[in-house]
Amino acid sequence: MKYQKLFEEYNLSGQILKNRFLMAPMTRSRASQPGDIPNTLMAEYYGQRSTAGIIITEATQVSLQGKGYANTPGIYSPQQIEGWKLITDAVHKKGSKIILQLWHVGRVSSFKVNGLQPIAPSALMAKDTSVYVFDGAPNGDATFVPVDEPREMSKTDIENVIKEFVQGAKNAITAGFDGIEIHGANGYLIDQFLRSNSNKRSDEYGGTPKNRIRFLIEIAKKVAQAIGKEKTGIRLSPFISFKDMSDPEILQTIMLAAAEVNKLDLAYIHLCEADWDDAPSIPIDFRIQLRKTFKNTIIATGNKTPEEAEQLLQEDLADLIGFGRKFLTNPDYPAKVKQNLRLNEISDNHTLFGGGTARGYTDYPFIQTT
């Protein structure tokens, strides 16, 4: 077989996956309103894509304060938990596993989204950064608005957010998920604590890399204690600097975090890699160092071709490969790779976030059978 490793089963912390294709988390903004509640349309969407060995859901806020974009789902209310049960049931019936990504956006938010002032490690607004709302446009498109200036988090704020992540993890298990992923990437709250340009605190959560990883490690430790280390993963993005997150110390900080996550024996580290055409690639020496530092599963995600994915697996630099947009438009993506078939393309960019309907969401065609 051309892609031998991609189609192998894989043991992820005691759970057997049917292949090494992972559906990467993608924001789609289809939650029901009011209440940001997952629904039957979302269940159909995820069920269609259960051809992946494992799915990581769209980012899911742990509180109203943690919400940064309109119509994204939550995991903090009884109604949201019940909504997610529709989705976990749909995926499990088709023989795949599903993990919930826990999210707090921090300073990447606006009063127009959740009615609250954003919070962050420091009172620094992210430059040239926007979030979206829906203003009733006929095509259901999103309207982007600038983020608001955040207030600096107090110690009580920090303690409360840690509790929200822990409760979100417990709620996810109640909803039937096979595990959770702590979103520590892409310029959101945990990433804001990790980076020296967004974290100017002078207490035990700021200053040195050791202090800047404290928030992440406290969340990871308490979540793992609550639901099990084998059900807890973390997503990091060392080479992504959009949302005003350029930090010359980030690689050192990320590797220090990886060493501490290794001590906690978490299930995996998920590398979120840049996915635009001229984006910087992750150097091989970084991948080698991460493999030496972290002993469990490593996931690589970032617009990989099947050839690139297979090479990373063959060289033992990753264990699972995440595919995003290819699963978005091709719910049966693994079968298309195996048969070398033409892929569907995005039909309408306006449907990526908005609309709330099946158009551009669950209407992408499968392989035609006779």
Side-chain angles (χ1 to χ4, degrees), residues 163-232:
K163 290 176 183 177
E164 288 167 355
F165 270 91
V166 172
Q167 189 61 54
K170 291 179 178 179
N171 291 348
I173 300 305
T174 299
F177 283 95
D178 300 291
I180 65 91
E181 176 175 283
I182 298 165
H183 197 342
N186 292 0
Y188 298 118
L189 182 61
I190 293 172
D191 203 17
Q192 292 158 27
F193 271 88
L194 294 176
R195 300 193 184 232
S196 63
N197 65 309
S198 53
N199 183 348
K200 300 295 184 181
R201 302 179 71 93
S202 57
D203 62 5
E204 67 268 34
Y205 291 95
T208 65
K210 182 178 180 180
N211 283 354
R212 292 200 305 274
I213 70 170
R214 186 185 302 273
F215 184 58
L216 163 64
I217 299 305
E218 288 183 355
I219 290 173
K221 183 176 182 179
K222 291 186 178 182
V223 166
Q225 288 172 344
I227 67 167
K229 61 188 180 181
E230 74 283 356
K231 295 182 179 180
T232 306

Side-chain angles (χ1 to χ4, degrees), residues 18-19 21-24 26 28 41-56 90-91 94-98 323-334 344 358 360-366:
K18 59 189 178 184
N19 56 49
F21 287 83
L22 177 144
M23 179 175 151
M26 293 175 286
R28 302 307 308 275
L41 182 64
M42 292 172 62
E44 181 183 0
Y45 168 78
Y46 282 109
Q48 286 178 341
R49 286 152 183 81
S50 297
T51 54
I54 189 166
I55 292 171
I56 301 178
V91 172
K94 296 190 177 181
S96 291
K97 307 294 184 182
I98 184 166
F323 299 92
R325 282 170 286 186
K326 292 170 183 174
F327 266 115
L328 186 157
T329 55
N330 300 275
D332 50 0
Y333 179 60
N344 304 322
Y361 190 59
T362 57
D363 60 350
Y364 284 101
F366 287 75

